[in-house]
């Protein structure tokens, strides 16, 4: 119950704060991403919009979706994911560090190997990204493709 009250509160704040982005109630203002756009182009002529080109109503909707996703994930999602990333990075660095525990020897550093190990330790999403690297030899360097093919097993 508290979770939904907080979502409603964030949505209300987002709605109230979005009033600064609207020039009049009938004509929402649209913001350009860069200042290098020509004055003859319009935001309606392009199929895709950048974040800054969206109306305030679309911005409010986006904020609501982000807040809802954050509450659905729970309060421990961000800290636990950060800890998981820290552990993955530190263990990958330990594999290639010249200072090792007794009985272990440091691996010779190779960027593709280090990146593959890091992806494997970060979890399923990164393994899928590694599988994409392995299956796209025209997009990535050959040594990365060969190393990430180990993720296809």
């Amino acid at each position: 119950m508290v979770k939904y009250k907080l979502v409603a509160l964030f949505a209300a704040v987002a709605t109230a704060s979005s009033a600064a982005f609207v020039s009049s109630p009938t004509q929402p203002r649209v913001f350009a991403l860069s200042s290098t756009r020509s004055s003859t182009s319009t935001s309606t002529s392009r199929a895709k919009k950048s974040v800054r080109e969206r109306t305030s109503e679309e911005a409010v909707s986006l904020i609501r979706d982000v807040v809802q996703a954050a509450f659905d994930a729970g309060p421990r999602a961000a800290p636990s994911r950060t800890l998981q990333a820290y552990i993955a990075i530190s263990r990958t660095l330990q594999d290639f560090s010249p200072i090792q525990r007794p009985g272990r020897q440091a691996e010779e550093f190779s960027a593709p190997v280090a990146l593959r190990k890091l992806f494997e330790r970060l979890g399923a999403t990164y393994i899928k990204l590694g599988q994409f690297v392995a299956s796209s030899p025209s997009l990535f360097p050959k040594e990365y493709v060969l190393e990430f093919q180990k993720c296809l097993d």
Side-chain angles (χ1 to χ4, degrees):
M1 185 71 174
V2 172
K3 178 164 84 170
Y4 297 108
K5 286 182 181 180
L6 287 172
V7 170
L9 175 66
F10 278 112
V13 168
T15 304
S17 65
S18 69
F21 294 108
V22 179
S23 58
S24 73
T26 58
Q27 294 179 340
R29 198 175 356 173
V30 179
F31 295 95
L33 180 60
S34 67
S35 61
T36 59
R37 284 181 53 184
S38 71
S39 60
T40 59
S41 68
T42 62
S43 63
T44 58
S45 65
R46 293 190 297 183
K48 293 184 181 180
K49 292 182 180 179
S50 69
V51 174
R52 292 182 182 251
E53 292 174 328
R54 299 194 185 275
T55 64
S56 62
E57 290 81 18
E58 291 172 324
V60 169
S61 175
L62 178 64
I63 291 170
R64 283 185 184 143
D65 291 345
V66 169
V67 169
Q68 184 64 46
F71 280 107
D72 288 345
R76 295 185 207 142
S80 67
R81 188 68 180 140
T82 302
L83 180 62
Q84 181 186 7
Y86 171 76
I87 291 170
I89 291 169
S90 64
R91 288 185 180 164
T92 303
L93 290 174
Q94 285 175 358
D95 288 345
F96 299 100
S97 172
I99 303 170
Q100 293 286 324
R101 287 182 269 168
R104 289 192 59 191
Q105 197 171 25
E107 296 181 39
E108 185 178 332
F109 182 78
S110 167
V113 173
L115 195 59
R116 179 191 50 85
K117 285 185 171 199
L118 180 62
F119 277 23
E120 288 175 348
R121 289 177 174 144
L122 284 172
T125 302
Y126 288 90
I127 290 174
K128 284 291 183 190
L129 183 58
Q131 291 171 347
F132 173 72
V133 171
S135 63
S136 303
S138 61
L139 296 175
F140 299 100
K142 183 179 180 179
E143 58 271 6
Y144 284 88
V145 171
L146 292 174
E147 186 61 37
F148 278 98
Q149 285 178 349
K150 296 176 183 174
C151 292
L152 296 174
D153 296 341

